[in-house]
Amino acid sequence: MRKKKELPDVEPVRLPTIKGIRPGKYIFWLLVAAIILIIFLVLYLPGIVKGGRWVDFSSPLTEVGIVVDGAYAGSTTGGHVFISSGEHSVSYIKNGIVIDEGTLSVDHPVFATLFVRRTMDVEIPATDTDGLYDSIVSRTLSSLAAYSGIQSWPDGYNYPPLLEDYARDVVALGIDDVSEDFHLMSLFVTNDRMLADLGAAKAILDAASVDYTCIDDEAIETMLAGEGPVKDIETVQPTISVSRTDDGWFRYEATSLTLGSPAALSIESMASQPFTTSTSAFEMAPGYVSQYDWALFVEANPYWSPSNKDQLIADGMVDDYYLAGITLSTLYENTSPVRNVSWYAAQAYCHWLSGKTGVAYRLPSEAEWTLAALSAEGDAYASTLYAPSSDEHPSSLYGGLWEFTSTAYVPLSRYEGEVYDASSIDEADIVVKGGSYLNAGDGISAETVGVMQRQTTSDYAGIRIVREVK
């Protein structure tokens, strides 16, 4: 049997008291304090430090921007916007136009803001103030003009609902008739996604009983399939009556003519669809606006100086190639054609020259340019900038440089038998005519339509002007 071992005496361990408080009590209260601190840090402190609410701004209008205390805070399509507690000045902007403004009061919720998103709803009114509807039309047309040039879409590319948003805005503003504007917009529909957008917009307008007109959907569908209808039109041949003026310009008498030629409506034939129009009497310059002419213009209008190019670009008047390769001087008369100028610059030149001389100068319409080109049929194609002059008609109408016109390019307008002056639709691109010295002569005719953006400058485009007949 094992002998029992005696253990030494030891001092018992005792937890210290704190001011007479037994350990069990103060440990309990420490745990309670820790729990309270955690609750405070998690449930209350975030709300105290960052007080405010997530505000859900909504409006029957699409894409309304929210400005809070002078700073952009988001839009109605961007989800909730966090706004701190207190009084805030707010304004609501669409297309750069303030549609409403005022004061927004946000309280200071504290409890559990880390876990529970405190929200409030703000409804933005829809009123047609300061030309809001006109700005919606303009922006929609600008976007449509850009997308109309796209015939194939990369995988995953999202086409924005341009016409659908326009229709929603029309309904929100309570407009009951958009026939003219919607018809024009439909003339830019040149691909399948735009056609689907057109259908969605029509459904919205129909549901709200808004009156509208547009190009026939079936015509667009068959066009996209390459099997569009052939337009039935009686071709009108112009009476070409041209004479030389005392100062060497060419006078053309008033006439009617058909531009384009009958062909099945397709993507390829959009620009050559036939339509009949007329011209009043006009006089056309024998050649291009020269570099010397432009030097005089810039001298009188420093805004258009190449040294002011950055401002011109910022204003959307030109691109980065404005007057590239051109040295302007009024000390000697350089008769070489001015190039790398934009349509906006050409318009400004005509305005300046008209004011200086008291004679109305302008760019030719497509019909006027075509009439002049028909009078020069048979001329050799100008493969340089220096074609020989003629006593019978202006020179270099075929080849040389593409020439700006005053006609807007609206893709399907020709099929509808309509023509739009560039001054009546600021958002469309511009028709240019004649080809350049780089084009193959057998591919350019009086009917050939080129297209340029208004601010684009090109080494292969120049200016020929006409003047009104008194």
Side-chain angles (χ1 to χ4, degrees), residues 129-447:
T129 58
D130 299 323
L132 175 60
Y133 173 73
D134 290 339
S135 75
I136 292 170
V137 171
S138 178
R139 179 162 293 191
T140 304
L141 283 172
S142 294
S143 299
L144 289 170
Y147 281 102
S148 67
I150 301 175
Q151 302 306 323
S152 61
W153 301 83
D155 292 339
Y157 188 92
N158 291 323
Y159 168 80
L162 302 173
L163 289 165
E164 183 178 349
D165 283 352
Y166 164 79
R168 294 187 187 282
D169 289 337
V170 165
V171 174
L173 293 174
I175 298 171
D176 56 11
D177 190 343
V178 293
S179 298
E180 182 177 350
D181 294 328
F182 196 71
H183 176 71
L184 175 58
M185 292 176 185
S186 73
L187 299 182
F188 287 92
V189 175
T190 57
N191 55 61
D192 56 351
R193 298 198 188 185
M194 298 180 80
L195 181 59
D197 188 22
L198 178 65
K202 289 171 62 178
I204 293 171
L205 297 177
D206 285 335
S209 299
V210 176
D211 292 334
Y212 65 88
T213 61
C214 69
I215 189 172
D216 182 16
D217 288 19
E218 292 185 4
I220 301 177
E221 290 174 355
T222 54
M223 174 192 71
L224 297 178
E227 303 169 351
V230 178
K231 186 176 180 180
D232 183 17
I233 184 172
E234 182 180 352
T235 301
V236 175
Q237 297 295 334
T239 300
I240 302 177
S241 177
V242 56
S243 58
R244 196 80 184 265
T245 65
D246 292 340
D247 60 353
W249 285 49
F250 293 90
R251 174 176 174 133
Y252 291 85
E253 301 301 333
T255 189
S256 296
L257 71 162
T258 298
L259 276 64
S261 56
L265 179 61
S266 66
I267 296 296
E268 293 75 18
S269 72
M270 278 192 305
S272 60
Q273 287 292 309
F275 67 96
T276 299
T277 186
S278 60
T279 64
S280 300
F282 65 95
E283 294 174 352
M284 178 175 279
Y288 302 115
V289 172
S290 71
Q291 294 184 27
Y292 179 71
D293 296 329
W294 204 260
L296 294 174
F297 164 63
V298 168
E299 184 178 65
N301 300 271
Y303 175 77
W304 291 98
S305 169
S307 63
N308 194 44
K309 184 173 71 172
D310 288 346
Q311 185 62 53
L312 290 168
I313 293 173
D315 293 343
M317 297 289 103
V318 302
D319 61 21
D320 196 46
Y321 296 98
Y322 177 60
L323 292 177
I326 304 296
T327 301
L328 300 178
S329 174
T330 58
L331 299 178
Y332 64 95
E333 191 167 348
N334 185 347
T335 59
S336 299
V338 70
R339 294 162 288 125
N340 279 319
V341 292
S342 68
W343 183 87
Y344 286 123
Q347 288 287 90
Y349 174 81
C350 292
H351 179 74
W352 166 76
L353 188 60
S354 298
K356 177 182 177 182
T357 63
V359 177
Y361 290 93
R362 56 178 175 78
L363 295 173
S365 68
E366 181 185 356
E368 290 169 336
W369 189 97
T370 302
L371 181 64
L374 291 175
S375 73
E377 278 190 319
D379 275 12
Y381 190 84
S383 57
T384 72
L385 295 178
Y386 307 100
S389 60
S390 168
D391 293 330
E392 299 177 355
H393 51 70
S395 63
S396 298
L397 287 165
Y398 298 100
L401 295 172
W402 287 100
E403 301 179 24
F404 292 116
T405 74
S406 62
T407 301
Y409 179 68
V410 180
L412 295 175
S413 64
R414 286 156 155 60
Y415 178 75
E416 293 285 276
E418 300 171 3
V419 62
Y420 291 87
D421 187 88
S423 62
S424 68
I425 171 172
D426 296 333
E427 301 78 13
D429 295 335
I430 298 301
V431 170
V432 293
K433 301 288 287 186
S436 79
Y437 61 87
L438 283 186
N439 294 104
D442 58 0
I444 302 294
S445 70
E447 305 300 337

